[in-house]
Amino acid sequence: MEAVIWMLAVLFLAFVTLGVYVGVKVVGAAKRGVERTVTQARRTVEETTLRAKSYGQVGVAGELAQLRLSLRTSMRATQDALEAGAPEDASLSESLALFRRLSAHGHELDGELKRLEREPDRATVSSMLPGLRKRTEQITRAAESLRWAARDRAQRFADDDLELLSSQIDMEAGALRHWTEEPSGERTPAGAASPSATPSASAPRAAETVSWPSAGRPEEETPAARAESGRPAGEADDAGDAGRSASDQPQAITARDPRQHMTYSWQKSARPETTN
């Protein structure tokens, strides 16, 4: 019984600890969200106020507001560009470290400009404006250099990836259209005639110059051929008749010589007939 009580107590403590831990995490996340929202709202209000002062006021107050607005806008754009590219490009970690050092100078300058806005001695503030303007331009120029370098690097990587992808797509498209490429052995030169055209061109000439005799009968001599051979016409006709008569007669069949008859070991000898 005591063991069961101890187990229940341990489970209760575990659940209480887990609930406290989850509650602390939820409260911390909510607090961070509220702080982020408040910071963003304050920043939006300050930027709106600075923009209104830079456009609505003239003189020292308007110039101070314009310097603060240009400084904050440039630093925030550079921070967003570097933080967006750092997870994909490890080389930007060093750029982020440099930007944090630059941000320290930017925050110091922004605080100084903010204090000078409430300064009643406008003559002294007006004498400090050239130095403040120079510092602001130097910080914004450095921030813009980092920002554009990071953007150019990301754009170069995107262009290289797109070029590689285009070459792979062209290769795949060529492989899919493999039937459009004619093999080298089947290509016919432009000046050469096709094989089917050569026999058709020489066929009429062959039909005119070649005549085949009928099968089984000797070719009869023409008068021109008899004149060239010097034989008289009657003799040639007699020779042709004799050849035709000899070919028409049946040929005798020569009997097989029994001495030339060969026997093989696998052939069976004929058995003599026995009489009962």
Side-chain angles (χ1 to χ4, degrees):
M1 189 65 182
E2 294 181 358
V4 174
I5 295 175
W6 277 107
M7 289 179 61
L8 292 175
V10 169
L11 289 175
F12 177 75
L13 291 176
F15 280 116
V16 170
T17 305
L18 181 61
V20 172
Y21 176 78
V22 172
V24 170
K25 287 293 184 181
V26 170
V27 171
K31 185 178 180 181
R32 286 192 299 271
V34 171
E35 291 178 354
R36 189 182 304 112
T37 303
V38 171
T39 304
Q40 187 174 1
R42 185 184 299 115
R43 183 184 304 151
T44 303
V45 171
E46 289 180 358
E47 289 181 357
T48 304
T49 305
L50 290 174
R51 191 172 289 108
K53 287 182 179 180
S54 63
Y55 292 144
Q57 294 182 359
V58 292
V60 178
E63 191 168 355
L64 289 175
Q66 188 175 0
L67 290 178
R68 287 189 64 193
L69 183 61
S70 63
L71 177 65
R72 293 164 67 95
T73 304
S74 179
M75 296 297 289
R76 187 173 301 108
T78 304
Q79 182 179 1
D80 293 341
L82 293 178
E83 289 180 353
E88 299 178 358
D89 190 0
S91 300
L92 295 180
S93 58
E94 186 176 356
S95 301
L96 275 174
L98 294 175
F99 176 75
R100 291 189 184 97
R101 294 173 57 186
L102 183 64
S103 296
H105 293 278
H107 285 298
E108 182 181 356
L109 179 60
D110 185 67
E112 185 176 356
L113 291 173
K114 188 175 182 179
R115 287 191 302 269
L116 290 175
E117 287 180 351
R118 296 188 297 268
E119 179 66 33
D121 190 0
R122 296 298 178 182
T124 305
V125 176
S126 178
S127 64
M128 296 175 60
L129 280 178
L132 295 173
R133 190 182 300 111
K134 183 178 179 180
R135 288 176 59 188
T136 303
E137 292 178 355
Q138 187 176 3
I139 293 175
T140 55
R141 189 183 304 113
E144 290 175 358
S145 178
L146 283 175
R147 182 172 69 251
W148 285 109
R151 289 180 178 177
D152 293 343
R153 182 179 179 86
Q155 185 66 32
R156 181 59 182 271
F157 286 162
D159 293 342
D160 293 344
D161 189 20
L162 180 59
E163 184 177 358
L164 178 61
L165 180 61
S166 299
S167 62
Q168 292 177 354
I169 290 176
D170 292 340
M171 186 181 301
E172 182 66 19
L176 292 176
R177 296 192 185 96
H178 62 88
W179 66 86
T180 59
E181 298 181 1
E182 184 179 352
S184 59
E186 298 180 1
R187 294 179 182 177
T188 305
S194 59
S196 59
T198 304
S200 62
S202 59
R205 182 177 299 177
E208 293 175 1
T209 58
V210 179
S211 61
W212 299 94
S214 59
R217 300 183 62 184
E219 185 179 0
E220 296 182 358
E221 294 182 352
T222 60
R226 286 195 298 269
E228 291 178 0
S229 60
R231 292 184 298 172
E235 183 179 354
D237 294 339
D238 294 340
D241 295 339
R244 284 193 297 272
S245 61
S247 62
D248 293 339
Q249 292 179 1
Q251 300 293 331
I253 299 177
T254 306
R256 181 181 299 178
D257 190 357
R259 292 174 297 177
Q260 296 180 356
H261 181 65
M262 299 178 63
T263 59
Y264 300 94
S265 59
W266 60 82
Q267 292 181 349
K268 296 181 180 181
S269 59
R271 294 182 178 180
E273 295 182 358
T274 56
T275 56
N276 294 329

